[in-house]
Amino acid sequence: MSEPRRHNLPAHPVRLIGRDEELPAVRARLLSAERGLLTLTGVGGSGKTSLALEVARSLLGELPDGVWLVELASLSDAALLPQALASIFDIREGPERPLLDGIRVHLESRRLLLVLDNCEHVVDGCAHLVEHLLAACPALRILATSREPLRVAGERLWPVPPLAVPDPRHLPLLDELALVPAVQLFVERAQAAAPHFALTTLNAPAVTQICARLDGIPLALELAATRVPLLPPQELLARLGARLTRLSGGLRTTPPRQRTLWDTIRWSYDLLPPQEQRLFRRLGAFVGGWTLAAAAAVCDAEGALGPDLLDGLGSLVDKSLVRAKETPEGEPRFGMLETLREYALERLLASGEAEPVRRRHAEHFLALAEAAEPHLRGPGQTDWMGRLRREHDNFRAALGWAEQRQDWHTVLRLGGALHRFWFISGLPTEGRRWLEPGLELAGAVPPPVRARALLAASFLACLRGEDEHALALAEEGEAAHVALGDAHGAALCRHYRAYARAGLGDLAAAHALHQEALAVFRRLGDDWAVGLALDDLADLALALGDHATARARREEATAFFRAAGDPFMHVQAAVLSAVAAVEEGDVERAAALATEGLAQLWQHGHSAPLPLCLLVLAEVARLRGQAARAAILGGAAETQRMAIDARPWQFSGPAYQRLLARARRALGTADLQTAWADGQALGLEQVVASALAGAEPPAPATAARAGPRRLSAREAEVLRLVAQGKSNREIAAVLVISPKTVGRHLDNVYTKLGVTSRAAATAAALRNEVV
């Protein structure tokens, strides 16, 4: 007699990737559930079904009456749920016994698991069915998959997130990268389609970007991987863009709604009631998330949603279309996966609502930036910087929309308000990218708006070392403020003229201009600006070798910054004092100031003075005889300087160059050259942690020293173009960077590969000798 059938699970399961920790946890939670119901929730394509099936297989030996899959995706009417379940067990409806009673009788004494897959489109019917069965069948276990909870008494939820993705900005070594779940899934599915495909140093940055771009959603990764036989990862990434959601492919047995990612998302959207559809598509205007207040201002300006706005957001969270979390201030914050946001934005554009919604979006974030600006130089700086950083992508979206509309008034107001945010964040190039086209192309804008934008643009140009251009902007800005009768704005522009004059080597003119600005700041009673002028006069004294005056000015400036409660300027002064101390040969004072400065920079998330701070610590290590530590910190300092794309530091630039030259001259052995390259490759967190601990930073390439070395994503891209025979000028045009920056990247490539020529680097690239 044959053994009775105990399951109806698919015979050839696809290997589950990236859920090793979740699998036993889900299984344990299901078995311990008081009423026997566990619902896996998550966005479409996140792998709920795959996880549910793997849990079901793991229970085949523990439930005597088996595990049974009920696929509901093709069910069009909730009234057909009993028929779908009855067909699994071959239960027939009798003339005197309704089908549901027959199912109850069949299940009430059995210990088995039901897997109800894809409940979202018949969620109410599923809830009633599950409630009925659990009440009558105490030994029954139900594992449901749905994009929203069933909302049945005793239901336990298990959110199934997308797979973990690597950070494209900090790539791990190749062996570590291959173990990141999203990468692992992409590579395995790509190899199924193209057996000779392998993860290499040259394609690793592109694979990483693909995984991040697709939010780690398993369905999206699988669909993308099917394109690998036609497009290598670098080309696939270039073609994703806004078309990524049109990815199609996969198995012929895949349900039609999952054959493209777009269909999967549309499936969820079509299930929403009209009011929630409207809210969802309007939320597509946000990039990087939003607060409840922002949602009200942008999505419900008419007040039609009213108190239902929070309910609507909550419903979208329940349906896995929106994610919620809490900010450090305790304020709720919401967001979408990028793939969902793209779909929402497309629906918004198709609805005819895009223009007013995106205008309200720009107006909201302009108001936020202008409200934040005065707080970025006082005791509220840290909190406001955190808030602005969270909204950074929204500011970019607002600027991009305004620029596209040639709304230069909004561009210049927003850029003028954000310039200090860009400064503290170490992003002067980004600020210039928005402000200068607006200044050049704007027609009639209110004079105060143009004057403020000129002030901001001149400062950002100084930070980038574009002194002649900065001088012209500052002179025009000063004249504009004078015409407006704004003495404070004119004095700030004079201050930036001094910056530019110092950068051009005219220290006497710089000193005179700073003294003039200082007198105005004192007269107006702006203690913070007084500290700013004193701090820069200290830099000038240091550049002239007058250490006593430099220290006195710095201490006076520090007192003003401390009184103003500006943590950034306070720590900047400490770092510059460390520079002066190391120049004077006071190693212990330099070490103490630089270590404290680094701790404060890290705590507050400030980027701009980091390279100088690390280089001071490198010089301290060199003077203490710690050559390897000095080399690693020197390499890390140069990497961070390149990352912020600014001159090393304004008037301390010569000191920075002297410190850098000393660090490089000390690289007399191959081991120290390797240590320098290790410092360039280390993640900032590792560098800071070891520097604060006083330990020698770890060498990231130690395990791979016998083999190839790791390049950054940009360095790998430069090397790829070199291997194609392109010149530095051609590479610069492709990557939209300067030829000088290309040369800098190539210098790093040569160091990391241990080669000295373009031909040798090309040969290494063609041999795949790059990690």
Side-chain angles (χ1 to χ4, degrees):
M1 182 176 178
S2 63
E3 188 174 334
R5 191 165 64 105
R6 298 183 56 250
H7 74 88
N8 66 339
L9 302 178
H12 302 290
V14 177
R15 188 170 80 92
L16 188 66
I17 293 174
R19 306 293 187 190
D20 294 342
E21 294 182 5
E22 288 177 87
L23 182 60
V26 171
R27 171 190 158 103
R29 190 168 179 83
L30 173 64
L31 293 177
S32 64
E34 184 177 343
R35 290 202 72 198
L37 171 63
L38 179 65
T39 303
L40 306 182
T41 61
V43 66
S46 64
K48 301 181 294 294
T49 297
S50 298
L51 180 58
L53 292 178
E54 199 66 23
V55 170
R57 288 188 190 91
S58 75
L59 292 173
L60 277 172
E62 298 193 25
L63 297 173
D65 297 305
V67 296
W68 305 92
L69 172 65
V70 186
E71 297 179 293
L72 303 177
S74 61
L75 207 64
S76 59
D77 186 347
L80 300 176
L81 279 167
Q83 286 86 336
L85 183 54
S87 66
I88 300 295
F89 301 106
D90 198 24
I91 298 170
R92 307 295 175 86
E93 187 172 16
E96 298 181 357
R97 187 177 71 174
L99 194 56
L100 195 55
D101 287 347
I103 295 171
R104 176 184 53 77
V105 169
H106 181 80
L107 298 179
E108 62 185 355
S109 61
R110 286 179 165 80
R111 290 185 57 210
L112 56 78
L113 171 68
L114 285 180
V115 180
L116 302 181
D117 190 33
N118 293 298
C119 298
E120 55 272 350
H121 61 302
V122 285
V123 66
D124 290 338
C126 284
H128 290 299
L129 176 65
V130 166
E131 183 70 53
H132 179 82
L133 293 177
L134 290 177
C137 309
L140 178 65
R141 299 281 158 181
I142 297 177
L143 181 60
T145 73
S146 177
R147 293 175 205 180
E148 61 178 299
L150 303 187
R151 301 197 182 282
V152 172
E155 177 185 28
R156 289 190 175 191
L157 300 177
W158 187 279
V160 180
L163 296 176
V165 301
D167 184 349
R169 298 166 298 179
H170 304 292
L171 287 182
L173 294 174
L174 202 61
D175 289 347
E176 298 169 3
L177 181 64
L179 297 177
V180 177
V183 174
Q184 190 178 1
L185 177 64
F186 179 87
V187 170
E188 183 167 301
R189 299 298 189 262
Q191 288 172 340
H196 298 297
F197 175 79
L199 185 68
T200 68
T201 302
L202 290 182
N203 67 28
V207 170
T208 300
Q209 292 278 3
I210 289 169
C211 292
R213 186 73 180 81
L214 297 177
D215 295 313
I217 298 175
L219 173 62
L221 294 171
E222 291 180 358
L223 294 175
T226 64
R227 301 293 185 88
V228 167
L230 299 174
L231 298 170
Q234 293 91 333
E235 299 299 326
L236 177 59
L237 176 63
R239 286 165 170 74
L240 281 181
R243 292 174 292 172
L244 70 90
T245 42
R246 304 285 198 293
L247 286 172
S248 62
L251 302 174
R252 294 184 187 281
T253 54
T254 301
R257 64 184 177 82
Q258 289 188 349
R259 288 180 188 163
T260 74
L261 184 58
W262 217 236
D263 290 337
T264 302
I265 299 171
R266 185 171 60 212
W267 167 269
S268 294
Y269 178 78
D270 288 345
L271 293 174
L272 298 176
Q275 194 160 322
E276 288 183 19
Q277 286 184 347
R278 180 175 61 177
L279 176 59
F280 174 76
R281 64 179 177 255
R282 291 183 177 184
L283 292 171
F286 293 100
V287 185
W290 62 88
T291 62
L292 183 60
V298 175
C299 301
D300 191 30
E302 312 94 334
L305 294 174
D308 294 332
L309 174 64
L310 185 58
D311 291 340
L313 282 171
S315 181
L316 293 176
V317 170
D318 285 345
K319 292 165 183 172
S320 306
L321 293 171
V322 165
R323 297 183 293 182
K325 61 180 180 180
E326 195 173 276
T327 66
E329 296 80 21
E331 182 182 24
R333 185 170 180 84
F334 304 88
M336 288 182 187
L337 294 174
E338 180 59 19
T339 45
L340 293 173
R341 192 196 72 82
E342 284 192 359
Y343 183 84
L345 184 58
E346 182 168 290
R347 300 312 306 160
L348 178 64
L349 293 170
S351 71
E353 301 171 337
E355 181 70 17
V357 169
R358 297 191 73 179
R359 178 169 294 282
R360 291 196 298 266
H361 176 274
E363 290 169 349
H364 175 79
F365 286 101
L366 172 59
L368 174 62
E370 291 183 333
E373 186 185 9
H375 298 283
L376 296 186
R377 58 180 225 173
Q381 181 190 91
T382 299
D383 290 341
W384 277 96
M385 280 296 296
R387 188 171 178 184
L388 296 183
R389 285 189 181 110
R390 286 192 292 275
E391 304 297 359
H392 196 173
D393 287 334
N394 279 312
F395 290 129
R396 287 168 170 159
L399 284 161
W401 176 84
E403 183 181 67
Q404 183 182 29
R405 301 283 300 164
Q406 297 188 4
D407 179 359
W408 304 118
H409 180 263
T410 296
V411 169
L412 294 180
R413 280 181 64 189
L414 193 46
L418 288 175
H419 82 278
R420 189 158 183 81
F421 164 73
W422 286 319
F423 160 54
I424 296 173
S425 300
L427 297 170
T429 301
E430 177 172 343
R432 180 190 175 195
R433 175 259 177 275
W434 297 112
L435 275 169
E436 299 213 4
L439 285 169
E440 182 179 346
L441 298 171
V445 296
V449 172
R450 182 171 183 84
R452 184 65 178 168
L454 285 164
L455 182 153
S458 65
F459 178 50
L460 296 174
C462 282
L463 294 177
R464 284 182 45 81
E466 298 166 347
D467 297 302
E468 291 185 0
H469 183 51
L471 182 61
L473 289 168
E475 288 173 344
E476 185 184 349
E478 185 174 357
H481 282 92
V482 168
L484 291 167
D486 182 351
H488 187 272
L492 277 175
C493 287
R494 194 169 308 158
H495 182 75
Y496 299 148
R497 283 174 59 200
Y499 267 2
R501 285 293 183 193
L504 292 169
D506 190 350
L507 300 188
H511 186 273
L513 288 166
H514 274 308
Q515 290 286 8
E516 292 172 9
L518 175 60
V520 176
F521 295 145
R522 288 191 190 278
R523 178 169 56 82
L524 295 175
D526 186 343
D527 289 346
W528 178 89
V530 169
L532 186 69
L534 289 170
D535 199 47
D536 291 329
L537 284 167
D539 279 337
L540 275 177
L542 182 63
L544 293 168
D546 185 351
H547 295 284
T549 299
R551 179 180 290 200
R553 292 290 196 190
R554 190 84 68 201
E555 288 175 354
E556 192 180 357
T558 300
F560 277 107
F561 293 141
R562 187 183 297 114
D566 185 328
F568 178 81
M569 296 304 296
H570 186 197
V571 72
Q572 174 190 303
V575 173
L576 294 173
S577 294
V579 173
V582 82
E583 289 274 291
E584 295 168 17
D586 190 343
V587 176
E588 297 309 314
R589 183 168 182 268
L593 286 168
T595 301
E596 175 61 22
L598 184 62
Q600 292 297 315
L601 291 170
W602 188 246
Q603 176 185 342
H604 294 294
H606 298 152
S607 301
L610 262 170
L612 186 57
C613 193
L614 290 173
L615 204 52
V616 170
L617 290 172
E619 176 66 359
V620 167
R622 187 185 71 81
L623 293 171
R624 287 174 171 173
Q626 301 167 326
R629 173 178 168 81
I632 290 174
L633 289 170
E638 273 294 84
T639 293
Q640 293 308 311
R641 185 188 67 78
M642 291 166 60
I644 65 173
D645 194 27
R647 66 169 56 181
W649 202 247
Q650 184 58 27
F651 302 147
S652 294
Y656 184 98
Q657 294 301 332
R658 288 195 294 274
L659 291 171
L660 183 62
R662 290 172 198 164
R664 283 180 167 160
R665 278 200 302 270
L667 302 178
T669 66
D671 284 348
L672 291 180
Q673 291 168 7
T674 299
W676 182 278
D678 285 340
Q680 291 180 306
L682 275 172
L684 182 58
E685 186 172 354
Q686 292 174 290
V687 174
V688 171
S690 59
L692 293 179
E696 186 168 311
T702 299
R705 258 205 198 117
R709 304 298 306 280
R710 181 174 65 127
L711 303 184
S712 70
R714 178 50 61 88
E715 289 162 1
E717 188 67 12
V718 168
L719 184 56
R720 182 179 72 83
L721 294 169
V722 166
Q724 293 177 3
K726 295 189 182 296
S727 67
N728 281 20
R729 190 167 297 280
E730 290 171 324
I731 294 171
V734 171
L735 300 181
V736 199
I737 56 178
S738 70
K740 184 177 179 180
T741 303
V742 173
R744 197 165 60 212
H745 286 312
L746 272 176
D747 286 343
N748 292 337
V749 168
Y750 294 164
T751 300
K752 292 181 181 182
L753 296 184
V755 299
T756 58
S757 70
R758 196 181 192 94
T762 300
L766 295 176
R767 292 195 303 269
N768 255 359
E769 290 186 2
V770 189
V771 173

